[in-house]
Amino acid sequence: MLNIKAGKSHREGLLEWLKKKPEHQQEYLKASVEENYDMPEAILSAIRDVAEVRGYENLAREAGLSQNALYKILDEDKEAKPRFETIIQLLQALGLRFTVEPIGKTRAG
């Protein structure tokens, strides 16, 4: 899935991979939500990575947000708690939708 060349940091390789195709961005966010469903800060970090490669201005416009609002939502130094509606707007702008699935038996117990 993710092919990183020697000599590059993990982050550089990740961002390069995310830039290649919007589908990579969608796969990355989907995996982040599935693996970190109980850690909103990790999900926001993944959205931040995608915003970086898409451009904050572009993503803000596509989501119907101001660029300043998007920066505040994704600011690493603050404990952002975006509204549910805002997360839905961002997901839709990224070509994704919010879905609900049952938790597997191994997680529930």
Side-chain angles (χ1 to χ4, degrees):
M1 181 168 139
L2 180 58
N3 185 13
I4 300 174
K5 295 180 184 175
K8 288 188 179 185
S9 73
H10 173 74
R11 180 152 175 76
E12 289 171 332
L14 171 65
L15 295 178
E16 184 178 289
W17 181 75
L18 290 173
K19 285 179 186 178
K20 287 184 180 181
K21 296 181 182 179
E23 292 83 9
H24 291 175
Q25 298 166 19
Q26 294 170 339
E27 289 173 27
Y28 176 63
L29 288 172
K30 184 177 187 300
S32 179
V33 170
E34 288 173 354
E35 294 172 16
N36 303 301
Y37 66 92
D38 57 344
M39 295 187 310
E41 64 280 354
I43 296 167
L44 286 175
S45 179
I47 294 172
R48 188 179 308 112
D49 292 338
V50 172
E52 185 172 332
V53 299
R54 283 225 179 172
Y56 276 77
E57 185 176 346
N58 291 334
L59 181 55
R61 184 179 55 252
E62 292 167 4
L65 301 169
S66 72
Q67 189 174 350
N68 191 38
L70 185 59
Y71 276 116
K72 285 181 182 178
I73 292 165
L74 299 179
D75 188 342
E76 287 182 80
D77 297 331
K78 296 181 182 172
E79 210 172 297
K81 295 192 188 304
R83 294 184 0 221
F84 181 74
E85 297 84 11
T86 305
I87 295 298
I88 296 300
Q89 283 177 264
L90 287 169
L91 291 175
Q92 288 175 340
L94 295 166
L96 298 168
R97 67 177 174 200
F98 180 79
T99 61
V100 178
E101 296 180 9
I103 297 174
K105 290 182 181 181
T106 57
R107 290 186 188 174

